[in-house]
Amino acid sequence: PTPPVPPAPSDPSEPLRFTDVDYNSWYAPGIDFVASRGLVKGYEGTTIFGVGNVLTRGELATILWRNACPDEAAAYDPATAEDTTGIAGSADGMFYTAAANWAVANGYITGIDNLDGTFDFAADKPVSFEQMITILARIAATPDEVAASRGDLSAFVDGDMASSWSRNPLAWAHDLGLVEGYNNPDRGRLLCPGENVERQRAATVLARAFTMGVLK
């Protein structure tokens, strides 16, 4: 059943309260954290956070852009936004347009490689865990810091399933304690690098990154 709706905060600094969030759950602190910073506002026109729904690449870019460019985000009007990424998979007039422009211009998101050698921002596609961590590493660390991890994912029984381009970022995140994986009683510790990231897991990882000082 849907949990009771807590009262809306009277203080703007307090987090939004979503009707689909179980505030006794493991993920509630992470959702509260990102909501209190104005990084995740839920689905427009609803009181829904989207627990259990996957995070799209456009949504992730928007969250990170809101943090990096708060003044621009506060004044943003999607109706006048023009896509300047120069790659497919992004468009004018979208909630993520300015975020996509920012992410591509700074090299944080380069797009998904197509077979013909072109790139696709793929704004509406789910972001995988290895994609998310790779993007965070590009924002928060230097190439040398990421390379120092040497791609060691031996702590995870499925570490060898990580794509080659994501191994160093994932290992960097694990070395920091940002990525812990899942404990599976039968198999051991799982990384699940190709898993599509659900919104509550993304909130938890992002909150941890801010708390640790990985993100500012």
Side-chain angles (χ1 to χ4, degrees):
T2 302
V5 181
S10 56
D11 182 347
S13 67
E14 293 181 15
L16 296 169
R17 308 295 276 183
F18 301 102
T19 53
D20 63 333
V21 171
D22 177 355
Y23 283 94
N24 295 313
S25 68
W26 61 268
Y27 58 74
I31 290 177
D32 265 355
F33 188 96
V34 295
S36 69
R37 294 180 69 105
L39 303 181
V40 178
K41 302 175 182 179
Y43 294 131
E44 186 174 0
T46 77
T47 58
I48 300 298
F49 176 80
V51 173
N53 294 346
V54 296
L55 189 75
T56 67
R57 290 166 56 85
E59 289 169 344
L60 176 61
T62 301
I63 291 168
L64 298 172
W65 166 73
R66 284 173 177 161
N67 181 65
C69 308
D71 293 340
E72 184 181 350
Y76 181 57
D77 180 5
T80 62
E82 295 184 4
D83 173 51
T84 61
T85 61
I87 60 177
S90 182
D92 297 340
M94 304 300 291
F95 73 89
Y96 61 74
T97 302
N101 293 341
W102 165 82
V104 172
N106 286 282
Y108 301 143
I109 297 179
T110 56
I112 297 172
D113 292 320
N114 293 320
L115 294 177
D116 62 2
T118 61
F119 294 95
D120 185 354
F121 190 83
D124 296 325
K125 292 183 179 179
V127 64
S128 69
F129 189 66
E130 62 182 357
Q131 289 172 356
M132 178 178 175
I133 298 302
T134 299
I135 293 166
L136 292 183
R138 289 172 179 163
I139 292 173
T142 67
D144 287 344
E145 288 172 336
V146 175
S149 69
R150 299 181 180 178
D152 182 8
L153 298 175
S154 59
F156 304 99
V157 295
D158 61 344
D160 59 350
M161 299 297 292
S163 301
S164 58
W165 48 264
S166 73
R167 293 184 62 85
N168 279 354
L170 286 166
W172 163 81
H174 175 59
D175 290 345
L176 287 177
L178 179 60
V179 169
E180 299 175 349
Y182 301 108
N183 277 324
N184 184 296
D186 298 321
R187 298 181 58 193
R189 187 171 292 274
L190 298 174
L191 179 61
C192 301
E195 177 182 77
N196 290 334
V197 182
E198 292 188 350
R199 290 167 62 88
Q200 71 275 13
R201 186 185 185 194
T204 300
V205 172
L206 290 169
R208 188 180 298 153
F210 282 110
T211 301
M212 294 172 59
V214 176
L215 291 176
K216 307 295 185 184

